[in-house]
Amino acid sequence: MPSRKKKLILAFLAAAVIILAASVIPFLRKPLIDSLGWPLDFFSKISGHAQGIILYRQNQIQNQQLTKELSLINRQLHESEELYLENIRLRKLLDFKEKSAYPLTPANVVGYDPSNLSSIIIIDKGKKQGVKPGLAVIVNEGLVGRIIDAGDLTSKVLLIDDINSGVAAFIQRNRQKGLISGSLGGRIILHYLPPEADIEVGDLVITSGLGGLYPKGILIGRVAKIQEGGSHPEILAVVAPSANLTKLEEVLVVLSE
Amino acid sequence: MKILGIDQRINLAAGFFGSLYRKSALGNYRLQYRRQIYAFLILFIAGLTQATLLNYFRIFSVKPDIILAVLIISSLFLNLGWSVSLAFFGGIFCDLMGNLPYGFNAILFILSIILVKRISSKLSVENIFIRNAVICLIIVLNNLAVRFILLALGSSLAFGIFLRFTVIQSILTLLAALPIYRLLAHSFK
C-alpha cells in the first residue's frame, strides 16, 4: 500500500476516535458543538437561499394570500377602532345624559353650512322627535348652540361662534355678567365687561340663563385672553369654547326651554 | 282630479325619458341635454361635498367654495338660460343649509353668473389667468354682498376677519377650480 494512502487512513481513524470520545465525554462535547457552529450557520443560510429559489413560486402564492389576509385584518382593525371610539363617545354622552338635570335627546350631525361666513350645523332630529326652534344644543364638554329652524326630520343649529349668536353669560368665579358673541373660526368673545371687571385668564364662563334662550349653568368655555375694547370703555375676553365646534359628530338637544 | 292608471304612468315616464334622447345621423340614439345633466349632477355632488367632507379640510377655518367654482366654470360651457338655472339651484341649496334670508344666495348666484357671462363675452376666459381672475372677482363680490346683508341685519363682522376669510377663500377656491375645470371640460366634450 502506498505510504500516502496509509497516512490518510490513519488520520481518518484518529479523527473518528477523537470525535467519538468527545461525544461520549461530556466536557469535550460543548467545544465540539461550538466548533461546528459557524459552518452549520453558513450552510443553513445557503440552504435557506436555496429553498427560497426552489420554492419561489410557492412562496409567492403564499405571500399574496397573506397580504390579502393582512389587508382584511387591517380593515377590520380600523373598523373596530372606529366602533371603540364611538362607544367611548356614546358612553360619555349617556353618562352625561343620565346625570344631567335637563331632558336631553341625542342627535347626529349630518352636515355643515356650505358658507364660510356663518357657522351652522344640520342635525338629524326634527319636530317629530320633539325638537323645535329655540332649544339649546350641548355636548358633554359644554354649550354648542341653539336650534334656529326645525323641519320634521332635521334641524338647523346656530353655533355659538356664529356672528349672529349671542349668549348671556357670566364668570363662574365672581358672577361678572357679560354677553358671548361669535367671531367665526371657533372664536367667541365675552363683551360688555366694565374696565374694572375682575377677570383672569383661565376663568370659567357659563350661561346665566338671562333672556331665556339658554338654560342656566351650562359651561361655555374658559377665558383665553383679555384685551381692551376698541372705542368703547370696556374690556373684551376671548373665550376658548369648551366644545370642539369644528369636530362635532353627536350632540344633545335640551328639550325643555 | 283624474288619477292616472299604471299604463298611463309608464307611458308618461317613457315619454319623458324618451324625450331626453334624439336620433343621430348614424341612426343610434344619443342623450341630449348631456352637458346640462352632467352640470346638475356635478353641482349636486359639489354641494354635498362642501357641506360635509370639506369641513375636515379647513385652513385657518376657511374651506373652498366649490359650489361657486362649479357654477362659474359651467357657465363658460352652457348658454345663459341653463347657467342661470344652475345658479338658481345652487343658490337654493346654499339657502336651505344657511342662515341668510331664503332666496338671497339664489339671487346672488344668478347675478354672479350674469356678470360672468358678460365678462366672458368681452374677454377670452380660455386663458387660465383671466379665468382665475374672474373667479377671484366673483368670490370677493359675493362675500362683500353677504357682509352688507349681515350689516343690514344687525350683525357685525370685524373687517380684518372678513378680509382674512375672503383672501384665503379665494386662494383655496382657485386651487379647487383647476381640477373642477378639467373635470367639466372633459364631461362636456
Side-chain angles (χ1 to χ4, degrees):
Chain A
M1 195 187 287
S3 60
R4 199 169 153 195
K5 196 173 177 182
K6 203 174 176 182
K7 282 178 187 174
L8 275 172
I9 291 169
L10 280 173
F12 176 74
L13 282 172
V17 166
I18 291 167
I19 289 169
L20 191 64
S23 57
V24 169
I25 301 166
F27 72 88
L28 289 177
R29 200 180 299 144
K30 194 172 181 306
L32 181 66
I33 293 169
D34 287 342
S35 65
L36 290 172
W38 69 266
L40 281 172
D41 186 48
F42 179 72
F43 275 99
S44 69
K45 280 181 183 154
I46 291 175
S47 68
H49 287 301
Q51 193 182 33
I53 292 166
I54 292 164
L55 299 175
Y56 174 76
R57 180 63 190 153
Q58 192 175 335
N59 289 340
Q60 192 183 34
I61 293 169
Q62 192 183 34
N63 190 1
Q64 285 168 355
Q65 284 171 347
L66 290 172
T67 305
K68 276 185 195 168
E69 282 179 27
L70 184 64
S71 63
L72 178 64
I73 289 168
N74 276 336
R75 187 173 60 80
Q76 287 172 345
L77 183 66
H78 290 142
E79 285 171 5
S80 301
E81 269 182 34
E82 189 56 34
L83 286 171
Y84 170 70
L85 291 171
E86 189 186 11
N87 194 344
I88 290 176
R89 281 200 309 272
L90 290 173
R91 279 180 181 274
K92 278 186 187 171
L93 277 175
L94 187 63
D95 185 46
F96 179 74
K97 188 180 164 191
E98 284 173 350
K99 286 181 188 165
S100 173
Y102 310 109
L104 301 168
T105 185
N108 289 315
V109 176
V110 296
Y112 283 75
D113 181 11
S115 166
N116 280 311
L117 294 180
S118 65
S119 199
I120 287 174
I121 60 173
I122 315 290
I123 61 173
D124 65 349
K125 290 280 162 72
K127 288 178 183 166
K128 287 192 174 177
Q129 290 85 19
V131 173
K132 53 187 180 181
L135 297 181
V137 178
I138 61 177
V139 287
N140 56 334
E141 289 88 5
L143 184 66
V144 166
R146 67 182 171 92
I147 306 283
I148 54 168
D149 194 14
D152 281 343
L153 298 171
T154 57
S155 303
K156 272 196 245 180
V157 179
L158 185 74
L159 299 182
I160 56 174
D161 68 337
D162 189 278
I163 54 174
N164 293 312
S165 172
V167 186
F170 55 63
I171 306 291
Q172 190 186 43
R173 178 172 55 89
N174 58 9
R175 320 313 263 183
Q176 173 65 53
K177 289 187 177 51
L179 181 74
I180 287 279
S181 65
S183 184
L184 297 178
R187 280 178 81 228
I188 53 176
I189 297 177
L190 185 60
H191 288 272
Y192 304 117
L193 297 169
E196 66 277 6
D198 174 23
I199 181 166
E200 292 166 10
V201 171
D203 280 341
L204 288 176
V205 181
I206 58 176
T207 55
S208 64
L210 292 176
L213 282 178
Y214 298 92
K216 185 178 178 180
I218 299 177
L219 177 65
I220 297 172
R222 211 174 266 274
V223 175
K225 197 167 77 167
I226 301 165
Q227 58 196 46
E228 302 228 335
S231 51
H232 302 285
E234 62 170 354
I235 54 174
L236 306 173
V238 178
V239 177
S242 52
N244 189 343
L245 300 175
T246 56
K247 290 190 180 153
L248 295 167
E249 294 188 24
E250 290 96 16
V251 296
L252 294 165
V253 181
V254 180
L255 290 177
S256 65
E257 290 184 75
Chain B
M1 191 177 82
K2 187 181 174 185
I3 297 171
L4 296 172
I6 186 73
D7 290 334
Q8 287 165 316
R9 282 184 231 171
I10 290 171
N11 284 336
L12 202 64
F16 171 73
F17 287 110
S19 67
L20 292 177
Y21 288 83
R22 61 180 169 83
K23 203 167 184 178
S24 70
L26 296 172
N28 54 357
Y29 286 90
R30 294 196 65 190
L31 180 67
Q32 56 183 351
Y33 306 117
R34 190 170 54 91
R35 288 183 170 194
Q36 292 81 351
I37 290 171
Y38 283 163
F40 275 94
L41 274 175
I42 291 170
L43 178 68
F44 183 64
I45 292 168
L48 291 177
T49 305
Q50 189 164 329
T52 53
L53 195 62
L54 283 187
N55 289 288
Y56 299 99
F57 295 98
R58 289 179 186 234
I59 296 174
F60 298 113
S61 307
V62 182
K63 58 190 175 190
D65 196 344
I66 60 173
I67 293 177
L68 200 54
V70 166
L71 288 175
I72 293 170
I73 294 168
S74 297
S75 67
L76 303 177
F77 296 97
L78 301 173
N79 63 20
L80 182 63
W82 284 106
S83 302
V84 165
S85 307
L86 205 63
F88 176 75
F89 282 106
I92 290 293
F93 180 86
C94 290
D95 285 329
L96 287 172
M97 307 279 276
N99 192 29
L100 293 172
Y102 278 112
F104 174 74
N105 275 308
I107 293 169
L108 192 61
F109 284 178
I110 288 171
L111 292 173
S112 303
I113 292 308
I114 291 172
L115 180 63
V116 168
K117 293 300 274 185
R118 290 295 294 268
I119 293 172
S120 63
S121 67
K122 302 268 193 270
L123 299 170
S124 167
V125 287
E126 293 296 319
N127 186 325
I128 188 169
F129 297 108
I130 296 176
R131 197 166 60 236
N132 289 344
V134 167
I135 292 172
C136 280
L137 175 69
I138 298 297
I139 288 172
V140 168
L141 290 174
N142 263 281
N143 282 351
L144 276 172
V146 170
R147 185 159 191 256
F148 283 130
I149 283 290
L150 289 172
L151 281 171
L153 292 173
S155 306
S156 66
L157 176 64
F159 184 70
I161 295 175
F162 167 77
L163 200 61
R164 173 169 66 99
F165 269 74
T166 304
V167 168
I168 297 174
Q169 188 181 349
S170 301
I171 293 168
L172 293 177
T173 307
L174 282 177
L175 290 172
L178 186 57
I180 291 172
Y181 179 79
R182 289 187 183 206
L183 171 67
L184 286 169
H186 180 72
S187 303
F188 290 163
K189 271 184 195 167

